[in-house]
PDB file of all heavy atoms in Angstrom:
ATOM      1  N   TRP B  34      97.242 113.890  93.577  1.00 96.00           N
ATOM      2  CA  TRP B  34      97.721 113.275  94.812  1.00 96.00           C
ATOM      3  C   TRP B  34      98.615 112.091  94.463  1.00 96.00           C
ATOM      4  O   TRP B  34      98.325 111.334  93.523  1.00 96.00           O
ATOM      5  CB  TRP B  34      96.566 112.785  95.670  1.00 96.00           C
ATOM      6  CG  TRP B  34      95.822 113.850  96.408  1.00 96.00           C
ATOM      7  CD1 TRP B  34      94.645 114.444  96.055  1.00 96.00           C
ATOM      8  CD2 TRP B  34      96.198 114.448  97.665  1.00 96.00           C
ATOM      9  NE1 TRP B  34      94.269 115.367  96.993  1.00 96.00           N
ATOM     10  CE2 TRP B  34      95.195 115.380  97.995  1.00 96.00           C
ATOM     11  CE3 TRP B  34      97.271 114.275  98.544  1.00 96.00           C
ATOM     12  CZ2 TRP B  34      95.248 116.150  99.163  1.00 96.00           C
ATOM     13  CZ3 TRP B  34      97.321 115.035  99.687  1.00 96.00           C
ATOM     14  CH2 TRP B  34      96.315 115.957  99.999  1.00 96.00           C
ATOM     15  N   THR B  47      95.491 110.041  92.284  1.00 95.00           N
ATOM     16  CA  THR B  47      94.276 110.586  91.706  1.00 95.00           C
ATOM     17  C   THR B  47      94.508 111.988  91.175  1.00 95.00           C
ATOM     18  O   THR B  47      95.490 112.643  91.540  1.00 95.00           O
ATOM     19  CB  THR B  47      93.118 110.574  92.724  1.00 95.00           C
ATOM     20  OG1 THR B  47      91.886 110.909  92.064  1.00 95.00           O
ATOM     21  CG2 THR B  47      93.360 111.573  93.849  1.00 95.00           C
ATOM     22  N   PHE B  49      92.444 115.721  89.790  1.00 95.00           N
ATOM     23  CA  PHE B  49      91.259 116.576  89.667  1.00 95.00           C
ATOM     24  C   PHE B  49      91.515 117.649  88.621  1.00 95.00           C
ATOM     25  O   PHE B  49      92.608 118.219  88.547  1.00 95.00           O
ATOM     26  CB  PHE B  49      90.968 117.305  90.989  1.00 95.00           C
ATOM     27  CG  PHE B  49      90.455 116.427  92.079  1.00 95.00           C
ATOM     28  CD1 PHE B  49      91.331 115.718  92.886  1.00 95.00           C
ATOM     29  CD2 PHE B  49      89.093 116.310  92.310  1.00 95.00           C
ATOM     30  CE1 PHE B  49      90.856 114.911  93.899  1.00 95.00           C
ATOM     31  CE2 PHE B  49      88.606 115.510  93.333  1.00 95.00           C
ATOM     32  CZ  PHE B  49      89.493 114.809  94.125  1.00 95.00           C
ATOM     33  N   GLN B  54      86.837 114.876  89.778  1.00 94.00           N
ATOM     34  CA  GLN B  54      87.876 113.856  89.911  1.00 94.00           C
ATOM     35  C   GLN B  54      87.876 113.021  88.635  1.00 94.00           C
ATOM     36  O   GLN B  54      86.958 112.230  88.399  1.00 94.00           O
ATOM     37  CB  GLN B  54      87.600 112.973  91.130  1.00 94.00           C
ATOM     38  CG  GLN B  54      88.730 112.021  91.466  1.00 94.00           C
ATOM     39  CD  GLN B  54      88.494 111.277  92.769  1.00 94.00           C
ATOM     40  OE1 GLN B  54      87.369 111.196  93.263  1.00 94.00           O
ATOM     41  NE2 GLN B  54      89.547 110.727  93.353  1.00 94.00           N
ATOM     42  N   LYS B  57      91.524 107.949  88.728  1.00 91.00           N
ATOM     43  CA  LYS B  57      91.931 107.323  89.991  1.00 91.00           C
ATOM     44  C   LYS B  57      92.789 106.110  89.682  1.00 91.00           C
ATOM     45  O   LYS B  57      92.418 105.287  88.844  1.00 91.00           O
ATOM     46  CB  LYS B  57      90.715 106.877  90.809  1.00 91.00           C
ATOM     47  CG  LYS B  57      89.891 108.017  91.347  1.00 91.00           C
ATOM     48  CD  LYS B  57      88.972 107.588  92.476  1.00 91.00           C
ATOM     49  CE  LYS B  57      87.897 106.638  92.057  1.00 91.00           C
ATOM     50  NZ  LYS B  57      86.950 106.376  93.167  1.00 91.00           N
ATOM     51  N   LEU B  61      94.347 103.350  94.650  1.00 85.00           N
ATOM     52  CA  LEU B  61      93.415 104.049  95.535  1.00 85.00           C
ATOM     53  C   LEU B  61      92.301 103.083  95.936  1.00 85.00           C
ATOM     54  O   LEU B  61      91.294 102.942  95.240  1.00 85.00           O
ATOM     55  CB  LEU B  61      92.847 105.259  94.803  1.00 85.00           C
ATOM     56  CG  LEU B  61      92.495 106.481  95.661  1.00 85.00           C
ATOM     57  CD1 LEU B  61      93.724 107.091  96.272  1.00 85.00           C
ATOM     58  CD2 LEU B  61      91.760 107.515  94.826  1.00 85.00           C
ATOM     59  N   PHE B  65      90.278 104.897 100.654  1.00 96.00           N
ATOM     60  CA  PHE B  65      90.797 106.225 100.312  1.00 96.00           C
ATOM     61  C   PHE B  65      89.705 107.009  99.578  1.00 96.00           C
ATOM     62  O   PHE B  65      89.052 106.483  98.681  1.00 96.00           O
ATOM     63  CB  PHE B  65      92.010 106.111  99.377  1.00 96.00           C
ATOM     64  CG  PHE B  65      93.270 105.619 100.032  1.00 96.00           C
ATOM     65  CD1 PHE B  65      93.372 104.316 100.473  1.00 96.00           C
ATOM     66  CD2 PHE B  65      94.353 106.462 100.183  1.00 96.00           C
ATOM     67  CE1 PHE B  65      94.538 103.864 101.075  1.00 96.00           C
ATOM     68  CE2 PHE B  65      95.530 106.014 100.768  1.00 96.00           C
ATOM     69  CZ  PHE B  65      95.623 104.709 101.211  1.00 96.00           C
ATOM     70  N   SER B  66      89.555 108.266  99.953  1.00 96.00           N
ATOM     71  CA  SER B  66      88.664 109.136  99.186  1.00 96.00           C
ATOM     72  C   SER B  66      89.268 110.531  99.122  1.00 96.00           C
ATOM     73  O   SER B  66      89.881 111.003 100.072  1.00 96.00           O
ATOM     74  CB  SER B  66      87.268 109.180  99.800  1.00 96.00           C
ATOM     75  OG  SER B  66      87.327 109.734 101.101  1.00 96.00           O
ATOM     76  N   ALA B  67      89.115 111.151  97.990  1.00 97.00           N
ATOM     77  CA  ALA B  67      89.633 112.501  97.790  1.00 97.00           C
ATOM     78  C   ALA B  67      88.514 113.390  97.280  1.00 97.00           C
ATOM     79  O   ALA B  67      87.645 112.946  96.537  1.00 97.00           O
ATOM     80  CB  ALA B  67      90.800 112.492  96.806  1.00 97.00           C
ATOM     81  N   GLU B  68      88.578 114.643  97.699  1.00 96.00           N
ATOM     82  CA  GLU B  68      87.579 115.619  97.263  1.00 96.00           C
ATOM     83  C   GLU B  68      88.259 116.936  96.931  1.00 96.00           C
ATOM     84  O   GLU B  68      89.310 117.262  97.482  1.00 96.00           O
ATOM     85  CB  GLU B  68      86.559 115.868  98.384  1.00 96.00           C
ATOM     86  CG  GLU B  68      85.683 114.701  98.710  1.00 96.00           C
ATOM     87  CD  GLU B  68      84.644 115.063  99.761  1.00 96.00           C
ATOM     88  OE1 GLU B  68      84.821 116.074 100.470  1.00 96.00           O
ATOM     89  OE2 GLU B  68      83.651 114.324  99.874  1.00 96.00           O
ATOM     90  N   ARG B  69      87.598 117.684  96.096  1.00 96.00           N
ATOM     91  CA  ARG B  69      88.019 119.054  95.810  1.00 96.00           C
ATOM     92  C   ARG B  69      86.742 119.859  95.559  1.00 96.00           C
ATOM     93  O   ARG B  69      86.423 120.213  94.439  1.00 96.00           O
ATOM     94  CB  ARG B  69      88.947 119.088  94.592  1.00 96.00           C
ATOM     95  CG  ARG B  69      89.692 120.406  94.455  1.00 96.00           C
ATOM     96  CD  ARG B  69      90.542 120.434  93.210  1.00 96.00           C
ATOM     97  NE  ARG B  69      91.286 121.686  93.131  1.00 96.00           N
ATOM     98  CZ  ARG B  69      91.823 122.162  92.018  1.00 96.00           C
ATOM     99  NH1 ARG B  69      91.720 121.488  90.875  1.00 96.00           N
ATOM    100  NH2 ARG B  69      92.484 123.295  92.033  1.00 96.00           N
ATOM    101  N   SER B  75      92.013 120.685  98.299  1.00 98.00           N
ATOM    102  CA  SER B  75      91.584 119.289  98.211  1.00 98.00           C
ATOM    103  C   SER B  75      91.886 118.593  99.528  1.00 98.00           C
ATOM    104  O   SER B  75      92.779 118.998 100.276  1.00 98.00           O
ATOM    105  CB  SER B  75      92.329 118.581  97.075  1.00 98.00           C
ATOM    106  OG  SER B  75      92.004 117.204  97.020  1.00 98.00           O
ATOM    107  N   THR B  76      91.111 117.557  99.815  1.00 98.00           N
ATOM    108  CA  THR B  76      91.380 116.710 100.974  1.00 98.00           C
ATOM    109  C   THR B  76      91.508 115.264 100.520  1.00 98.00           C
ATOM    110  O   THR B  76      90.854 114.832  99.563  1.00 98.00           O
ATOM    111  CB  THR B  76      90.265 116.814 102.025  1.00 98.00           C
ATOM    112  OG1 THR B  76      89.022 116.458 101.428  1.00 98.00           O
ATOM    113  CG2 THR B  76      90.181 118.217 102.612  1.00 98.00           C
ATOM    114  N   LEU B  77      92.371 114.543 101.223  1.00 98.00           N
ATOM    115  CA  LEU B  77      92.537 113.110 101.012  1.00 98.00           C
ATOM    116  C   LEU B  77      92.278 112.437 102.350  1.00 98.00           C
ATOM    117  O   LEU B  77      92.932 112.762 103.350  1.00 98.00           O
ATOM    118  CB  LEU B  77      93.958 112.792 100.527  1.00 98.00           C
ATOM    119  CG  LEU B  77      94.287 111.308 100.330  1.00 98.00           C
ATOM    120  CD1 LEU B  77      93.513 110.731  99.142  1.00 98.00           C
ATOM    121  CD2 LEU B  77      95.786 111.111 100.103  1.00 98.00           C
ATOM    122  N   GLU B  78      91.280 111.558 102.396  1.00 97.00           N
ATOM    123  CA  GLU B  78      90.929 110.867 103.629  1.00 97.00           C
ATOM    124  C   GLU B  78      91.282 109.392 103.492  1.00 97.00           C
ATOM    125  O   GLU B  78      91.023 108.780 102.449  1.00 97.00           O
ATOM    126  CB  GLU B  78      89.443 111.018 103.963  1.00 97.00           C
ATOM    127  CG  GLU B  78      89.078 110.325 105.270  1.00 97.00           C
ATOM    128  CD  GLU B  78      87.581 110.379 105.596  1.00 97.00           C
ATOM    129  OE1 GLU B  78      86.781 110.675 104.685  1.00 97.00           O
ATOM    130  OE2 GLU B  78      87.234 110.126 106.762  1.00 97.00           O
TER     131      GLU B  78
END
Side-chain angles (χ1 to χ4, degrees):
Chain B
W34 284 99
T47 189
F49 289 85
Q54 189 173 19
K57 292 198 294 186
L61 212 66
F65 287 69
S66 63
E68 293 184 341
R69 195 183 182 199
S75 176
T76 58
L77 177 69
E78 181 184 16

